[in-house]
């Protein structure tokens, strides 16, 4: 999973010039690439688009790639200092490859772990949801590459990123990778507690987030709990989170989010699910989200593993009662281990989104696809 960059005879001068020390940097790096090919059958109506309606029918492609640089050094006192910089492999039409997350870690056996920089909160990273084995996600849905869900992909649902309507992994006010300080305790018999603070939601992977006037949220606090333990042939993993912040926008009260999830493994089966909510602080609860997932996986003898899972979400809309926005998705699939860091997925997904607050705004689709996943 990791490679080590070493001095060679071509650059032997680096060894001669460096002073002798008791500690040396471990220049680790790794990453992944997922390449999908899938057939999509799309139906429904996006109100107001007419002839310009998104046409995703037929064979399509989707890729996700990251190169992750994670050098670290452990001092004589046992404290490890590390860096994590994640470089995106796709530019999403913007013409430039960007940085996803960038942060520093300080950790030790009795210290726990401190994270400083642009990273998701302790609550986000502590959560647990329905298990799965393939990489076409319906939870934090990459399926939107084939079936338009949000406004950013041509779909009817606005404001869903990092929200409970489509993801177990929520954030307060749906912020993402802002500068924050996080502390995780050491594991106590499988229990880890994390606490995060961010000054505001000013942006993703910036030099600083010190301008509160440019931010919609300030003083973002999150707490996460994760418990993982094995009892004989049974394993239990539980995750929970709560987060809140001060609203910096007139007429909007302080938002919060919470969630809980669990997975139980027995023999070759794993069963699990979650429930989460986002309260966005808007009058009458408009835009508040909730969602849940449930699924099961089977790790068969040999190289194959199988899955069946669902995600169900809803966001409160304006207008008449029952006019809420809804997201429903189901996935079945299988993954075959081809070798170290190489696996092959096959899957079928049905997903539907419906903006009941807007007449005729509904879209649904079926995707049958395959993927090769590489990690190193």
């Amino acid at each position: 999973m990791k490679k080590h960059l070493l001095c060679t005879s071509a650059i032997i001068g680096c060894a001669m010039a460096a002073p002798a020390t008791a500690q040396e940097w471990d220049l680790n790096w790794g990453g992944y690439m997922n390449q999908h090919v899938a057939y999509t059958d799309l139906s429904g109506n996006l109100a107001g688009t007419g002839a310009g309606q998104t046409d995703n029918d037929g064979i399509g492609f989707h890729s996700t790639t990251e190169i992750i640089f994670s050098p670290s050094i452990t001092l004589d006192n046992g404290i490890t200092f590390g860096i994590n910089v994640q470089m995106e492999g796709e530019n999403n039409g913007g013409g430039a490859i960007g940085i996803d997350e960038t942060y520093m870690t300080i950790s030790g056996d009795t210290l726990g772990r401190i994270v400083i920089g642009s990273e998701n909160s302790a609550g986000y990273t502590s959560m647990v949801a329905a298990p799965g084995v393939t990489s076409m996600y319906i939870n934090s849905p990459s399926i939107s590459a084939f079936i338009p869900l949000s406004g950013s992909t041509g779909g009817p649902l606005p404001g869903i990123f990092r929200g409970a309507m489509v993801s177990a992994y929520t954030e307060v006010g749906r912020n993402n990778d802002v500068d924050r300080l996080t502390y995780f305790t050491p594991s106590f018999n499988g229990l880890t507690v994390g606490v995060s603070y961010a000054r505001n939601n000013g942006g993703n992977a910036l030099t600083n987030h010190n301008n509160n006037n440019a931010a919609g949220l300030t003083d973002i606090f999150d707490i996460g709990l994760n418990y993982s333990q094995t009892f004989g042939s049974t394993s239990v993993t539980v995750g929970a989170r709560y987060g809140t912040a001060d609203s910096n926008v007139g007429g909007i009260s302080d938002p919060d989010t919470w969630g809980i999830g669990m997975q139980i493994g027995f023999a070759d089966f794993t069963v699990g699910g979650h429930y989460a909510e986002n309260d966005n602080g808007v009058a009458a609860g408009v835009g508040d989200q909730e969602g849940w997932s449930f699924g099961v996986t089977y790790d068969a003898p040999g190289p194959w593993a199988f899955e069946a899972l669902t995600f169900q979400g809803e966001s409160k809309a304006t207008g008449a009662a029952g006019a809420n926005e809804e997201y429903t998705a189901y996935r079945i699939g299988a993954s075959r281990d081809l070798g170290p860091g190489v696996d092959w997925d096959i899957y079928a997904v049905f997903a539907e989104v419906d903006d009941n607050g807007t007449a005729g705004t509904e879209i649904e689709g079926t995707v049958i696809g395959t993927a090769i996943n590489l990690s190193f």
Side-chain angles (χ1 to χ4, degrees):
M1 294 293 291
K2 298 179 180 177
K3 294 187 176 179
H4 305 276
L5 308 181
L6 305 175
C7 290
T8 67
S9 58
I11 52 173
I12 192 65
C14 72
M16 298 176 62
T21 63
Q23 306 89 23
E24 294 183 0
W25 278 89
D26 190 2
L27 300 181
N28 296 334
W29 67 286
Y32 64 88
M33 172 178 280
N34 305 325
Q35 291 287 356
H36 294 259
V37 181
Y39 177 81
T40 302
D41 180 18
L42 196 66
S43 62
N45 176 49
L46 300 181
T49 58
Q53 179 173 328
T54 300
D55 182 9
N56 284 26
D57 283 345
I59 296 176
F61 305 89
H62 174 62
S63 64
T64 56
T65 311
E66 281 196 7
I67 303 298
I68 302 171
F69 301 93
S70 54
S72 64
I73 186 169
T74 301
L75 305 183
D76 287 339
N77 60 11
I79 302 299
T80 298
F81 292 80
I83 297 168
N84 190 296
V85 178
Q86 302 175 13
M87 184 177 72
E88 299 281 2
E90 289 81 28
N91 60 38
N92 293 320
I97 295 176
I99 298 298
D100 181 14
E101 299 176 351
T102 173
Y103 56 89
M104 176 189 297
T105 61
I106 306 171
S107 60
D109 291 342
T110 58
L111 170 67
R113 184 162 63 99
I114 299 170
V115 181
I116 311 170
S118 297
E119 165 66 314
N120 290 114
S121 70
Y124 175 102
T125 56
S126 297
M127 269 296 289
V128 174
V133 300
T134 68
S135 59
M136 181 45 61
Y137 305 115
I138 61 174
N139 183 354
S140 295
S142 52
I143 192 61
S144 62
F146 297 102
I147 303 174
L149 302 178
S150 70
S152 63
T153 59
L157 302 180
I160 60 176
F161 182 74
R162 294 282 183 262
M165 182 181 185
V166 298
S167 178
Y169 311 105
T170 64
E171 293 284 20
V172 180
R174 301 184 293 103
N175 75 85
N176 181 51
D177 296 341
V178 301
D179 272 341
R180 69 179 92 233
L181 174 65
T182 298
Y183 172 70
F184 293 97
T185 67
S187 175
F188 299 102
N189 293 320
L191 176 65
T192 302
V193 179
V195 180
S196 295
Y197 170 77
R199 176 181 170 94
N200 58 46
N201 64 335
N204 178 17
L206 302 180
T207 301
N208 65 69
H209 294 86
N210 295 327
N211 184 3
N212 279 350
N213 293 331
L217 299 178
T218 57
D219 293 333
I220 305 170
F221 288 93
D222 290 273
I223 183 169
L225 295 86
N226 189 276
Y227 174 76
S228 184
Q229 193 61 269
T230 300
F231 306 94
S233 61
T234 301
S235 63
V236 177
T237 302
V238 180
R241 66 104 72 247
Y242 175 76
T244 187
D246 294 335
S247 173
N248 208 27
V249 178
I252 297 179
S253 60
D254 297 344
D256 62 26
T257 184
W258 70 272
I260 186 168
M262 175 183 290
Q263 291 185 9
I264 301 175
F266 50 94
D268 296 319
F269 291 89
T270 302
V271 177
H274 91 284
Y275 179 83
E277 291 187 2
N278 277 86
D279 178 352
N280 294 317
V282 179
V286 173
D288 289 356
Q289 300 183 20
E290 62 179 355
W292 59 271
S293 67
F294 181 79
V296 58
T297 62
Y298 172 59
D299 188 3
W304 285 98
F306 302 88
E307 66 179 6
L309 64 154
T310 184
F311 192 103
Q312 311 277 326
E314 186 175 78
S315 177
K316 187 173 181 179
T318 59
N324 294 341
E325 299 159 346
E326 298 175 348
Y327 166 61
T328 302
Y330 302 90
R331 187 181 85 210
I332 58 173
S335 185
R336 180 182 174 90
D337 184 358
L338 300 179
V342 181
D343 60 74
W344 169 45
D345 294 346
I346 53 176
Y347 53 83
V349 176
F350 172 82
E352 178 183 20
V353 292
D354 190 357
D355 184 357
N356 294 307
T358 303
T361 305
E362 179 181 3
I363 193 165
E364 64 181 37
T366 301
V367 176
I368 299 174
T370 186
I372 295 292
N373 308 305
L374 308 179
S375 59
F376 58 96

